[in-house]
Amino acid sequence: MTPLTLAVVSRNYFNMPAWLGLHAGLFAAEGIDLTIDHIEGIEEVNDRLRSGRAQLAYGVTEHVILDAESGGHLAIIGGNVNRLPFSLIARHGIEDLKGLRGKRIGVSSLRAGSSSLIMRLLAEQGLNWPDDYELVPCGPILARWDLLRSGGIDAGLQGAPLNHIALDHGFVSLCEPRQDFQFTSLDVDTRWAEGNRDVLLRFLRGFLRAHDRFYTDRDVARDVAVKESGIEPRYADRAWEEYTRDEIFPRDAEASETGVQALIETSALIRDLPRRARTRAADYIDRRWLAEARASL
């Protein structure tokens, strides 16, 4: 068995394809002894790729874009959250997006991730950061949920199933963006990939099978979600229904060129970024690896 580490952000539902592949033995069948390293700091995930402490990552895709702009070696080789899965959850008493004026909104990071989406959504309502509201960098979804419940923030993006749990606890949803947007992706350092071709292809064969299994086996998806995240089975089922209905995870495991382009355009509109290192979304995606793995199934 070949040991391999996949770094992921927190214990949230975004990790389901990898969790399912691990529990269903799909990586082991390819001789891969996979360790999934759950990390709360989103910047730390891709830092581990660069340092070699992880060989693959479910990372925030904007970090790959920023890495490329600075001459780095990270690349998108597969999909993860290809379409927005969020509800913008707020405390009771806030009735709409304009009601967030003067409020504290939790985001994963000011540098990348959910902050881009918040800025874009609120700019469409005439609210601009930092004059009209405060962004609180508090980490990923689970940390935002804790702060929302404690009153530390007034609102924050939540994905299924935490959006459903929040609504059942009396919080409100201000909007539910579902457009194509490459929020997270399967990322790799190309230097490691080129030197470990056989290992990467074996991992990707398991990765491809895991995505197909997610769509065809709700019972396994429920059991894995409950075991890994501790949610109730009814919420696991609701998350599965939402993710399969809206195709939030790509069934073919591919990254979305449309989703990457949407990410680029959003971040370019709201951030003072240097010139893009590449001009097309497709230039950030290396599809060779999945294509070769699929051909060898």
Side-chain angles (χ1 to χ4, degrees), residues 158-209:
Q158 292 294 337
L162 280 178
N163 56 349
H164 300 299
I165 295 172
L167 293 175
D168 287 349
H169 279 75
F171 292 90
V172 297
S173 175
L174 304 181
C175 65
E176 298 184 351
R178 288 294 183 275
Q179 63 265 36
D180 290 335
F181 190 99
Q182 194 73 56
F183 190 72
T184 54
S185 50
L186 179 67
D187 308 325
V188 72
D189 188 309
T190 56
R191 296 168 297 183
W192 179 87
E194 295 292 348
N196 296 272
R197 175 178 172 275
D198 175 69
V199 176
L200 179 54
L201 291 176
R202 284 191 279 136
F203 170 85
L204 289 175
R205 284 195 289 268
F207 185 74
L208 285 163
R209 292 188 176 106

Side-chain angles (χ1 to χ4, degrees), residues 7-159:
V8 303
V9 180
S10 193
R11 280 191 177 274
N12 69 61
Y13 201 85
F14 294 176
N15 304 325
M16 268 301 300
W19 284 344
L20 190 152
L22 181 65
H23 285 274
L26 303 179
F27 297 116
E30 293 289 342
I32 298 295
D33 180 14
L34 183 67
T35 297
I36 300 178
D37 196 356
H38 301 84
I39 301 165
E40 292 304 313
I42 67 169
E43 287 88 356
E44 177 70 13
V45 171
N46 284 337
D47 286 345
R48 294 197 183 194
L49 276 184
R50 283 186 286 265
S51 69
R53 287 176 289 167
Q55 292 75 52
L56 294 146
Y58 272 158
V60 173
T61 306
E62 192 168 355
H63 283 154
V64 179
I65 306 294
L66 294 170
D67 181 81
E69 289 172 347
S70 63
H73 300 277
L74 302 187
I76 303 162
I77 62 169
N80 183 226
V81 176
N82 287 22
R83 179 169 293 170
L84 294 179
F86 294 116
S87 301
L88 180 50
I89 299 295
R91 60 176 175 78
H92 182 72
I94 299 175
E95 297 181 354
D96 53 28
L97 292 175
K98 291 182 179 180
L100 292 174
R101 184 180 297 275
K103 300 299 190 294
R104 290 166 54 85
I105 305 170
V107 295
S108 52
S109 166
L110 293 180
R111 183 170 179 262
S114 58
S115 54
S116 298
L117 302 176
I118 291 294
M119 293 179 195
R120 181 63 179 266
L121 288 169
L122 295 191
E124 293 171 353
Q125 300 297 317
L127 301 181
N128 297 297
W129 179 78
D131 295 334
D132 296 322
Y133 57 90
E134 181 182 354
L135 290 179
V136 180
C138 58
I141 286 174
L142 293 177
R144 292 200 293 275
W145 176 228
D146 288 341
L147 281 176
L148 193 60
R149 286 184 294 174
S150 69
I153 58 175
D154 298 297
L157 291 169
Q158 292 294 337

